[in-house]
Amino acid sequence: MGEKDFSDRTLVGDDSLSFVSRDVFRAVRGGVADPIARAEVLADLCRINTLYMIMQAGSGHIGSSFSSTDIITWLWTEALRDPNGTSRDAEVYFSSKGHDVPALYSLLIATEKLGFELLPKLRQLNGLPGHPDVSTPFIATNTGSLGMGIAKAYGMARANRYTGRTGRIVVMTGDGELQEGQIWESLQPCANERLSDIVVIVDHNKFQSDTAVAAVSDLGPIEEKFRVFGWEVRRGDGHDFRVLRDTLAHFDTVTDRPKVFIADTIKGKGVSFMEGIACGDQTYHFHAGAPTLENYVKATRELIARINTKLEALGQPAASLTPAPLPVRIAPKHPEKIVLAYGDELLAMARQRPEIIVMDADLLSDCGIEAFKAELPQRFIECGIAEQHMVSAAGGMALRGMLPVVHSFACFLTTRANEHIYNNATEKKKIIYVGTLAGVVPGGPGHSHQSVRDISAIGAVPGLIAFEPCSEKEARLAIRWAVEQNAESTYLRFCNVPLDLPYAMPDGYALQVGRGVTLRQGTDVAIIGYGTMLLTNAWKAADELAQQGISAAVIDLPWLNRIDDAWVKTLGAYKHIVTLDNHYLEYGQGVMIAAALARNGVRAEVSPIGLAEIPACGSNADVLAYHGLDPAGIARTAAARTTVRT
């Protein structure tokens, strides 16, 4: 039977959102007796709510969520016994890849394991974190840098042996995630110790981020690799519920080794134009972020039409959707494109400097280097999700006279590969490291992606200078300085949040190591920070303070681990100084400023603002306010101290 148009009774508007209500889920769960048919309908209903959650949040991972939705649905509605419960044979499920957590939230809400009031609270403060976090019921582990999941399952299985517990431990991984070395470190001990309670499911959707896995780092004969490590291997259609049922039943009969199911899936499964390379340009377009409203409406209509065709064939009433208003968001009018400016300047230099080699860890567009790859593909190396390999390879290139420029998210580059960066430093060869998505915002992805310890992680590396630019102009100056003037290595830190900047760099501004620049004059208090987000909020705080009769200077100090003593002495003009850190307070820039003031005998009250706990997850405004880094929080701290002094 062909699909019918049910849009006239499903409340899918062109200017609003729609979701599946609790009552619809209850009707399907109670009315459809066949497990296969029930799972098919529930999975598509969950896809609708996953889309709704991502639209409400303004971000999320559609493709990865949709490719694993069928697997998650079967596990949680038919296969798992007392999942994450308290009985001696309770079973555990968690996702190592983490990007698919909206699909899991949607399913947990549909089965009433989580409250329905959480549906619109993805990536909101006190809501549902953007990546798995154990603060949420039924989430067994946090997801951090990719590759950790199987090792965590090993630890759980060993703990079960010590305590006499039983029950499967089911882990979802991504196929791109298999590029992480830790995955392969985990396989042998699981097999050696015959941990048959571990079941790994590889969501083999053939894409990582927006590029085919095979084009980045081909996995090769994946089944044979797992078998060589001593695992029981099955492969099949990850969207066929019969295959899922039969595979898990077979695994129950294997008691002497861990098992892996390589589930062949389709990224974006369930919506025709979101599946794989449906757009026809070899790029996946729905990896991260919310779709356009037009695409959202098209996708929801396609899903509800298919659902109601199935329900009609099953003799069940049609499902209708509940309307919801669109979230209100205000976009910047003229955002500073700081990462793109950096990439443009790097490319301009590379045209004249053949020693420059650009390396990337599967984050091409986020690092501003798409144009470099397009123009100089022979000098671009895509290393995939393998930061440690990339950094050590950069060390090898530097030893042979090249100038490697290494890119990834700051949270992964500076920590996952920290010992490799240090090893490179001991060889005293020049390398440029570029970490993007630095700091506490965007706050939606949660603590696994909020890079708020990279300054401390990398700041003490000998022969490495860390720098965060606050504008397109300073970004261009920074990469030129790193390539042309700095004889040692450089770490460039970028905040990726698009912002309208209220300030401009002074005419004739030039970089001087360890010295700041005053963006706004003031006499009562100096607010010192770095990067676009901190300095934008500092400027707005200064506006608020001005209304209270307090004159606040705003100073850009882009050098994160260097400070010039002669320049520090000029800060003696201020009796009170507020330091801002888009980072933990411990070993951030503020600590360095306070130490330099004391070292140089500058008598000033210093009020540091930064993170004192694991960063909150939520909208950017809510997260900044929570940690006191919003304009109101900065102004409040500055006013309190200045008023006391006065």
Side-chain angles (χ1 to χ4, degrees):
M1 181 182 296
E3 292 185 354
K4 298 182 179 181
D5 182 9
F6 291 95
S7 60
D8 60 329
R9 50 189 168 116
T10 55
L11 302 176
V12 185
D14 290 327
D15 58 355
S16 65
L17 305 183
S18 303
F19 63 88
V20 180
S21 69
R22 179 192 290 115
D23 289 342
V24 170
F25 280 112
R26 285 177 174 173
V28 172
R29 284 161 47 209
V32 180
D34 178 67
I36 300 292
R38 182 170 59 240
E40 289 176 347
V41 175
L42 286 174
D44 274 348
L45 289 171
C46 285
R47 285 184 170 96
I48 291 175
N49 277 2
T50 297
L51 275 177
Y52 170 76
M53 296 169 78
I54 291 173
M55 288 293 287
Q56 282 283 356
S59 62
H61 295 87
I62 296 171
S64 185
S65 292
F66 278 15
S67 67
S68 64
T69 291
D70 294 328
I71 299 168
I72 292 170
T73 300
W74 185 258
L75 285 170
W76 283 84
T77 61
E78 303 296 336
L80 293 175
R81 296 185 297 272
D82 189 22
N84 298 1
T86 58
S87 68
R88 301 301 290 182
D89 64 346
E91 298 188 322
V92 173
Y93 167 84
F94 61 91
S95 173
S96 181
K97 65 176 187 170
H99 285 169
D100 59 340
V101 76
L104 179 56
Y105 291 150
S106 182
L107 192 281
L108 292 175
I109 290 170
T111 54
E112 302 186 48
K113 290 179 170 63
L114 292 179
F116 215 86
E117 72 279 0
L118 290 171
L119 187 66
K121 295 184 179 180
L122 176 66
R123 299 188 169 208
Q124 289 190 17
L125 199 66
N126 301 316
L128 296 170
H131 283 73
D133 188 279
V134 294
S135 62
T136 307
F138 295 97
I139 299 297
T141 73
N142 290 0
T143 295
S145 183
L146 291 175
M148 297 180 181
I150 300 177
K152 289 206 172 187
Y154 170 87
M156 291 179 179
R158 289 301 304 267
N160 282 352
R161 285 191 176 182
Y162 290 129
T163 59
R165 291 182 177 273
T166 58
R168 289 173 299 185
I169 302 163
V170 183
V171 186
M172 177 85 73
T173 73
D175 46 6
E177 184 179 9
L178 298 186
Q179 293 162 2
E180 285 284 15
Q182 187 180 359
I183 289 281
W184 303 98
E185 290 182 36
S186 306
L187 298 185
Q188 198 65 65
C190 292
N192 287 345
E193 298 179 37
R194 301 183 181 278
L195 298 179
S196 60
D197 38 350
I198 294 177
V199 176
V200 171
I201 300 175
V202 179
D203 181 12
H204 194 20
N205 63 34
K206 319 301 186 295
F207 280 87
Q208 54 185 85
S209 298
D210 51 10
T211 307
V213 173
V216 175
S217 185
D218 196 343
L219 294 174
I222 182 173
E223 295 166 79
E224 294 177 28
K225 290 180 178 179
F226 275 98
R227 286 197 181 98
V228 166
F229 275 96
W231 286 57
E232 179 73 12
V233 182
R234 281 289 179 98
R235 184 168 187 167
D237 186 346
H239 301 300
D240 188 326
F241 291 102
R242 293 172 182 81
V243 171
L244 292 170
R245 178 196 62 196
D246 295 345
T247 298
L248 292 172
H250 166 70
F251 283 167
D252 283 341
T253 69
V254 179
T255 59
D256 63 345
R257 71 195 70 179
K259 307 108 174 185
V260 59
F261 175 48
I262 300 166
D264 287 306
T265 58
I266 298 172
K267 195 161 186 174
K269 174 67 175 179
V271 175
S272 58
F273 61 88
M274 293 180 174
E275 292 184 349
I277 53 173
C279 295
D281 61 358
Q282 304 303 307
T283 299
Y284 188 75
H285 293 270
F286 297 95
H287 171 69
T292 64
L293 180 59
E294 179 184 5
N295 280 337
Y296 167 78
V297 171
K298 284 170 56 181
T300 304
R301 286 179 173 171
E302 180 179 328
L303 285 163
I304 194 64
R306 185 167 66 245
I307 288 165
N308 282 333
T309 296
K310 291 177 181 176
L311 289 174
E312 183 181 54
L314 293 167
Q316 297 294 313
S320 61
L321 301 181
T322 302
L326 285 166
V328 177
R329 296 188 180 88
I330 300 175
K333 295 180 180 178
H334 304 289
E336 196 81 346
K337 298 178 180 178
I338 185 169
V339 176
L340 289 178
Y342 150 79
D344 180 66
E345 198 71 15
L346 174 63
L347 175 58
M349 285 186 292
R351 293 185 184 115
Q352 308 302 320
R353 302 181 74 105
E355 75 274 18
I356 291 177
I357 301 292
V358 166
M359 307 177 78
D360 174 55
D362 192 38
L363 292 166
L364 184 70
S365 59
D366 295 285
C367 294
I369 48 178
E370 287 181 302
F372 189 105
K373 179 184 178 181
E375 184 172 327
L376 301 173
Q378 72 281 7
R379 288 161 58 194
F380 175 86
I381 301 175
E382 178 55 74
C383 298
I385 307 171
E387 299 88 359
Q388 296 172 80
H389 160 73
M390 176 177 65
V391 170
S392 288
M397 289 194 162
L399 287 168
R400 303 300 291 176
M402 308 304 289
L403 176 56
V405 187
V406 179
H407 300 79
S408 186
F409 282 166
C411 53
F412 306 140
L413 176 62
T414 61
T415 55
R416 190 84 173 175
N418 189 268
E419 63 180 314
H420 308 78
I421 293 172
Y422 181 75
N423 180 271
N424 287 347
T426 66
E427 294 169 341
K428 299 182 180 180
K429 298 298 181 181
K430 179 173 174 176
I431 298 172
I432 298 172
Y433 303 97
V434 181
T436 63
L437 204 77
V440 73
V441 292
H447 53 72
S448 65
H449 285 59
Q450 290 164 300
S451 185
V452 291
R453 59 191 181 100
D454 54 316
I455 297 174
S456 58
I458 208 167
V461 173
L464 187 147
I465 299 177
F467 187 103
E468 180 170 345
C470 72
S471 67
E472 291 182 10
K473 178 178 181 178
E474 199 169 50
R476 291 179 183 276
L477 290 173
I479 185 58
R480 283 224 168 251
W481 175 85
V483 171
E484 298 175 349
Q485 298 179 47
N486 186 18
E488 298 182 307
S489 293
T490 306
Y491 170 53
L492 296 182
R493 185 182 200 253
F494 287 97
C495 175
N496 286 55
V497 176
L499 293 169
D500 293 318
L501 301 187
Y503 55 81
M505 307 306 295
D507 292 338
Y509 171 57
L511 300 184
Q512 300 179 68
V513 177
R515 299 179 70 89
V517 57
T518 300
L519 302 179
R520 176 176 179 148
Q521 298 293 331
T523 57
D524 295 321
V525 58
I527 305 174
I528 304 177
Y530 48 84
T532 53
M533 190 275 293
L534 288 182
L535 292 172
T536 294
N537 287 357
W539 188 282
K540 293 177 180 178
D543 286 341
E544 292 187 27
L545 291 167
Q547 295 176 12
Q548 303 173 42
I550 299 171
S551 174
V554 176
I555 298 174
D556 167 32
L557 181 58
W559 310 95
L560 303 178
N561 65 341
R562 296 287 189 278
I563 190 163
D564 180 79
D565 284 347
W567 178 79
V568 166
K569 292 176 182 178
T570 68
L571 298 177
Y574 304 97
K575 297 300 182 182
H576 186 65
I577 295 171
V578 176
T579 63
L580 306 180
D581 261 308
N582 191 7
H583 186 273
Y584 286 122
L585 286 170
E586 289 87 351
Y587 312 114
Q589 189 194 69
V591 170
M592 181 184 70
I593 292 172
L597 291 168
R599 183 173 65 247
N600 288 281
V602 178
R603 300 178 62 85
E605 293 182 78
V606 179
S607 295
I609 306 177
L611 276 71
E613 59 182 294
I614 293 172
C617 174
S619 70
N620 292 349
D622 286 346
V623 168
L624 291 169
Y626 179 87
H627 292 290
L629 286 167
D630 62 325
I634 297 169
R636 187 166 54 247
T637 297
R641 286 295 191 178
T642 306
T643 302
V644 168
R645 181 182 62 80
T646 302

